[in-house]
Amino acid sequence: MNIHEYQAKELFQKFGVASPEGKVANTAEEAGAAAREIGGSGLVVKAQVHAGGRGKGTFTNGFKGGVHVIDDAEKAQEIAGQMLGQTLVTHQTGPEGKLVSKVLVAKAVDISNELYLAILFDRQTSRHAIIASTEGGMNIEEVAEKTPEKILKVFIHPGIGLQAYQCRKIAAALGLRGKLMGQTVKLVSALWNLYLKSDCSLVEVNPLAVTTDNQVVALDAKFNFDDNALYRQKDVVAMRDTSEEDPREVAASEFGLNYIGLDGNIACLVNGAGLAMSTMDIIKLHGGDPANFLDVGGGASKEQVASAFKIILGDPNVKGILVNIFGGIMDCNVIAEGIVAAVKEVGMSLPLVVRLEGNNVEAGKKTLAESGLAITSADGLTDAAEKVVAAVAAA
Ligand code: GDP
Ligand code: MN
């Protein structure tokens, strides 16, 4: 799950991470009022979308930049008016862009240096890692590729947590000494505390800015939260903005399904993440393109399976469906009943290839056979992939 920058600022404030004051606005008038409340001469207006690269982005109406540093409240209101209700395209939104329905108005700072700081979960070492770089405000993947020596990685021991010497090492690598080192140590510890307590899987501050009056502040923030920990993060869940998410994924999460929408046209309904991955691979191998990743899990109910099938059928790009079930914990007949229930409710004219194997497979096959649905049954992964790719090509 992701949140907006203005919400990230609320978390920063709660955990004591230094960041300029800001307010969210839904209309140009609200933006003007927010700017007057914040006061002062330097302000920044920032489009609120779940994507980075806003500064260099362009609105589909031609207006340039999702981040504008301006002088006064009047200008803040005018810029907010240009952004709100418009679609912003950045290198992270895809060509279709994202609709801007909120802007952040914040106190602008005079920047002397832009740095990079992130905390994330490192799968290779199974530890949380802090990433720091002097190359702030840029695309960090590019920095990692071209100048990896400019990136410091610090791993956090699960038993003893973040140590003060590690924070000092980070500050030193960023070239921050004296008073700035003290501020950085404080900021990094506060950020770590926030990351841990809020069950984040990523906190990225880019840029971490050093101001001309010698302050270290978080100027931008990207957060990812561990979905499996959301049950104990009520405050975080309250920040969820489903209008920013793929509607198919929102529906799937309501039913506790692991679903990720993709660009292809062959929908897959699979149990188990590993089998779901290999099903996508084998579709690709045989020249097809998966429309989604969908793992209904081991203990799915008939209702969950029916919901999964309805989400698949609701996607206009889907031209064929492959159901690939290996019933270990899963009962094959529960899958079959879910499919039949969903099709009876919403109808279906797409080719459907089903490979069922394992627990209660005979009953599952019987349910499908007696349903009257036009189903192509398959034996094994290769046969299933070949059949569904051929059916979609012929359709
Ligand atoms: P992003 O483009 O979506 O990553 O949005 P950022 O919040 O990182 O803003 C993009 C760029 O705008 C930053 O790298 C800064 O150079 C600039 N910027 C953002 N806030 C301020 C500010 O308060 N003062 C100044 N001078 N520049 C800012
Ligand atoms: Mn940024």
Side-chain angles (χ1 to χ4, degrees):
M1 197 201 111
N2 302 322
I3 57 173
H4 287 293
E5 183 188 11
Y6 78 91
Q7 297 166 319
K9 262 189 190 299
E10 292 168 17
L11 286 175
F12 280 166
Q13 193 159 25
K14 188 168 154 198
F15 286 87
V17 177
S19 178
E21 180 193 355
K23 290 183 191 304
V24 67
N26 296 292
T27 64
E29 291 69 31
E30 276 179 36
R36 277 186 292 279
E37 241 177 275
I38 293 166
S41 56
L43 294 161
V44 54
V45 180
K46 307 173 86 171
Q48 298 296 284
V49 289
H50 284 187
R54 295 163 300 168
K56 294 193 180 79
T58 306
F59 289 84
T60 47
N61 66 355
F63 185 66
K64 286 229 173 331
V67 177
H68 282 249
V69 180
I70 36 106
D71 289 331
D72 53 44
E74 209 171 302
K75 192 76 186 162
Q77 184 159 341
E78 186 197 316
I79 296 288
Q82 303 262 29
M83 292 180 178
L84 288 163
Q86 301 298 327
T87 301
L88 177 63
V89 180
T90 81
H91 69 92
Q92 288 187 5
T93 59
E96 69 281 5
K98 279 193 174 280
L99 179 69
V100 178
S101 48
K102 287 178 163 56
V103 295
L104 170 75
V105 181
K107 210 173 192 43
V109 297
D110 282 327
I111 303 173
S112 74
N113 200 2
E114 296 196 17
L115 309 168
Y116 178 93
L117 179 69
I119 310 180
L120 49 81
F121 184 68
D122 182 76
R123 290 181 192 281
Q124 236 161 22
T125 54
S126 300
R127 288 185 181 197
H128 299 295
I130 301 187
I131 315 286
S133 173
T134 50
E135 307 305 291
M138 320 213 326
N139 186 345
I140 196 69
E141 284 83 7
E142 215 174 295
V143 179
E145 196 170 308
K146 290 187 184 145
T147 49
E149 71 281 1
K150 288 186 174 164
I151 294 180
L152 171 74
K153 254 187 169 186
V154 169
F155 297 98
I156 299 167
H157 190 281
I160 59 176
L162 179 66
Q163 300 293 297
Y165 83 88
Q166 294 180 304
C167 298
R168 288 194 293 275
K169 189 172 163 188
I170 291 163
L174 293 174
L176 304 171
R177 288 167 228 294
K179 182 185 155 212
L180 290 177
M181 177 173 279
Q183 286 184 30
T184 308
V185 169
K186 188 165 165 255
L187 188 143
V188 171
S189 328
L191 201 65
W192 166 245
N193 193 26
L194 191 179
Y195 174 93
L196 203 63
K197 296 257 167 68
S198 307
D199 285 312
C200 299
S201 51
L202 170 78
V203 174
E204 185 183 55
V205 179
N206 188 22
L208 175 73
V210 182
T211 66
T212 49
D213 57 353
N214 273 324
Q215 305 287 328
V216 181
V217 294
L219 262 206
D220 185 16
K222 176 182 177 178
F223 277 70
N224 284 339
F225 297 91
D226 178 354
D227 289 346
N228 293 317
L230 288 177
Y231 73 94
R232 62 180 184 196
Q233 295 290 344
K234 301 280 176 280
D235 295 353
V236 171
V237 174
M239 293 189 195
R240 187 168 174 195
D241 180 355
T242 49
S243 73
E244 288 279 334
E245 299 174 24
D246 184 327
R248 298 171 299 181
E249 291 177 20
V250 174
S253 74
E254 274 169 31
F255 294 100
L257 302 162
N258 295 313
Y259 177 95
I260 297 163
L262 299 168
D263 298 331
N265 57 8
I266 298 178
C268 332
L269 187 149
V270 187
N271 67 324
L275 190 59
M277 297 296 280
S278 24
T279 303
M280 289 160 53
D281 280 350
I282 202 136
I283 288 172
K284 273 271 188 198
L285 184 68
H286 288 91
D289 254 319
N292 65 272
F293 167 98
L294 171 54
D295 164 21
V296 297
S301 65
K302 177 183 149 193
E303 287 70 30
Q304 278 176 304
V305 174
S307 313
F309 215 75
K310 277 189 253 173
I311 292 166
I312 285 175
L313 293 174
D315 180 347
N317 293 327
V318 170
K319 299 287 176 267
I321 301 168
L322 172 56
V323 173
N324 186 15
I325 298 297
F326 187 82
I329 310 170
M330 193 74 219
D331 179 333
C332 287
N333 197 35
V334 169
I335 296 279
E337 284 178 341
I339 293 171
V340 173
V343 172
K344 281 209 174 120
E345 201 178 318
V346 298
M348 183 190 67
S349 53
L350 300 169
L352 170 62
V353 177
V354 177
R355 181 249 176 169
L356 285 182
E357 210 57 78
N359 184 13
N360 212 11
V361 63
E362 292 314 322
K365 285 189 170 162
K366 188 159 171 270
T367 300
L368 290 176
E370 288 172 358
S371 69
L373 297 177
I375 293 170
T376 310
S377 58
D379 295 309
L381 257 70
T382 300
D383 187 42
E386 280 173 355
K387 280 179 173 158
V388 74
V389 171
V392 167

